[in-house]
Amino acid sequence: MDDLDLSSQPNDAYFKQVFSDPQRAALFFQSHLDAGLVALIDWSSLKLEPGSFIKQTLQQTHSDLLFTARLGEREVKLYLLFEHQTTVDAEMPLRVLGYMLEIMQANHKRHGLPLPPVLAFVLHQGPERWKVSPCFEDLFELSDAQAAALLPYLPKFRHALLDLTQLDPDRDEDHAQLRVVLQLMKLARQKRLAEFLVWIAAEMQRQGWSVPEPLLLLSYLYAMHTDTTIDEEQIAHSLEQHPHLKENIMSLAERLIARGEARGEARGELRGKVRLLEQLLGKPAMLDDTLRALSLEDLQQRFTALEQEYKARFKQG
């Protein structure tokens, strides 16, 4: 967990850290997929696949994880897409179709036929209620007669969906780990993280409460990075049932904050250099919002490309 960077994209980092654990991901799928499908999958075989299918332009609002599991004598792919933008994506079934095709094409290139089934699951953090149909065929506007004639020739599928705005984790989740994760993600989007600290303190007192300390530590850190108004007193009060966690949380938080500040300074310096090179080269300036959204690595690449172009022009001059 020392390598976890919550400073720039805490939602993405928390999602990936939590659900990259196959056992926790299996719990999630088992809790939110149809019972008949759950019974067909060998969950002990679930494993995380490398890589992402999200385009760079969407990485600020979408994250994804791909898993493989046994389905009888075959494999099934489970694609978990985390959607945390501020508005509901009306094109989600179309976007999901693109991801599913990429997954199947990559698998076909490696293994040929038959193709593995790909099950897509969208986890929506909000803040708006999800009002878009998860069915791909609903993207078309067809009369009944047109649908009857055309739909047999068109892709037909639906993605699974968990809309956190419509879930009460305290009531609807039986497993303690999922209850903590989903309650935190929901309250984080609603900017009610002080309530999460009160809630989790009460949860710790429940008989039979059992959440691994690394998950508790990660969850507190996510809360701290998502809501900077949370102070040490609130956290300490919440940790009365686990006082030994306090030192770990505070020390790790200090390291993460220091790392975030260092990365922030480096990004600010690189943005200035990029702006200067754009002016010297007479290039149209990148939009401020676009430039600020670039990661440290993307900024470095942008700066390096501009610097090489400048040096080449200087030599020619």
Side-chain angles (χ1 to χ4, degrees), residues 103-146:
I103 293 168
M104 287 186 282
Q105 286 170 345
N107 192 90
H108 178 259
K109 186 176 181 179
R110 292 193 302 268
H111 306 296
L113 297 175
L115 294 175
V118 178
L119 189 154
F121 196 121
V122 175
L123 172 57
H124 172 59
Q125 195 179 18
E128 296 181 7
R129 180 176 181 176
W130 191 274
K131 297 180 180 179
V132 179
S133 171
C135 299
F136 182 78
E137 58 267 31
D138 288 340
L139 293 179
F140 305 101
E141 290 187 359
L142 301 172
S143 67
D144 290 345
Q146 291 169 338

Side-chain angles (χ1 to χ4, degrees), residues 14-284:
Y14 185 71
F15 161 78
K16 287 187 174 177
Q17 185 76 4
V18 166
F19 291 108
S20 291
D21 178 356
Q23 291 185 336
R24 195 173 294 125
L27 286 174
F28 176 81
F29 287 125
Q30 288 171 306
S31 295
H32 296 285
L33 289 175
D34 294 337
L37 177 58
V38 169
L40 294 176
I41 297 175
D42 177 7
W43 295 102
S44 66
S45 68
L46 190 75
K47 63 179 180 180
L48 180 66
E49 297 289 309
S52 171
F53 297 87
I54 301 295
K55 293 182 179 179
Q56 186 175 356
T57 54
L58 292 173
Q59 287 177 351
Q60 295 290 326
T61 54
H62 296 77
S63 303
D64 62 345
L65 295 169
L66 178 65
F67 300 88
T68 299
R70 299 300 302 174
L71 181 72
E73 297 300 318
R74 301 292 182 187
E75 283 189 341
V76 61
K77 304 286 187 181
L78 295 108
Y79 182 63
L80 181 56
L81 179 65
F82 176 46
E83 194 271 355
H84 54 95
Q85 60 184 345
T86 55
T87 57
V88 174
D89 189 348
E91 299 176 356
M92 184 57 75
L94 180 60
R95 198 180 305 284
V96 166
L97 176 62
Y99 300 145
M100 292 169 66
L101 284 173
E102 283 191 62
I103 293 168
M104 287 186 282
Q105 286 170 345
N107 192 90
H108 178 259
K109 186 176 181 179
R110 292 193 302 268
H111 306 296
L113 297 175
L115 294 175
V118 178
L119 189 154
F121 196 121
V122 175
L123 172 57
H124 172 59
Q125 195 179 18
E128 296 181 7
R129 180 176 181 176
W130 191 274
K131 297 180 180 179
V132 179
S133 171
C135 299
F136 182 78
E137 58 267 31
D138 288 340
L139 293 179
F140 305 101
E141 290 187 359
L142 301 172
S143 67
D144 290 345
Q146 291 169 338
L150 286 171
L151 287 182
Y153 301 98
L154 299 175
K156 181 180 177 64
F157 74 94
R158 62 178 296 165
H159 63 75
L161 173 70
L162 177 60
D163 180 1
L164 287 180
T165 70
Q166 301 303 299
L167 179 76
D168 181 356
D170 197 27
R171 181 195 63 205
D172 301 330
E173 285 294 343
D174 294 329
H175 197 281
Q177 292 190 46
L178 292 181
R179 198 157 64 243
V180 169
V181 169
L182 297 179
Q183 183 79 313
L184 175 54
M185 294 175 73
K186 177 172 183 171
L187 294 179
R189 172 55 80 180
Q190 297 174 349
K191 302 186 184 302
R192 295 165 52 199
L193 285 170
E195 294 180 34
F196 171 76
L197 296 180
V198 174
W199 174 82
I200 198 170
E203 282 289 285
M204 287 180 181
Q205 296 178 1
R206 288 189 181 186
Q207 185 175 2
W209 170 258
S210 176
V211 174
E213 288 188 3
L215 178 59
L216 283 175
L217 179 60
L218 175 67
S219 297
Y220 275 103
L221 287 171
Y222 171 58
M224 291 169 66
H225 277 283
T226 307
D227 186 351
T228 57
T229 65
I230 293 176
D231 58 32
E232 292 188 18
E233 184 177 349
Q234 290 175 296
I235 296 171
H237 179 71
S238 178
L239 287 169
E240 287 178 354
Q241 300 302 314
H242 289 269
H244 56 287
L245 284 179
K246 183 178 180 182
E247 182 179 352
N248 290 335
I249 287 176
M250 293 307 172
S251 62
L252 184 51
E254 289 171 358
R255 294 201 301 274
L256 289 172
I257 290 169
R259 181 192 304 169
E261 290 174 348
R263 288 174 66 87
E265 291 174 3
R267 290 174 68 179
E269 184 178 350
L270 275 174
R271 283 196 294 266
K273 291 180 178 179
V274 166
R275 282 284 185 244
L276 176 60
L277 284 170
E278 286 174 340
Q279 292 175 7
L280 291 172
L281 290 167
K283 288 183 170 293

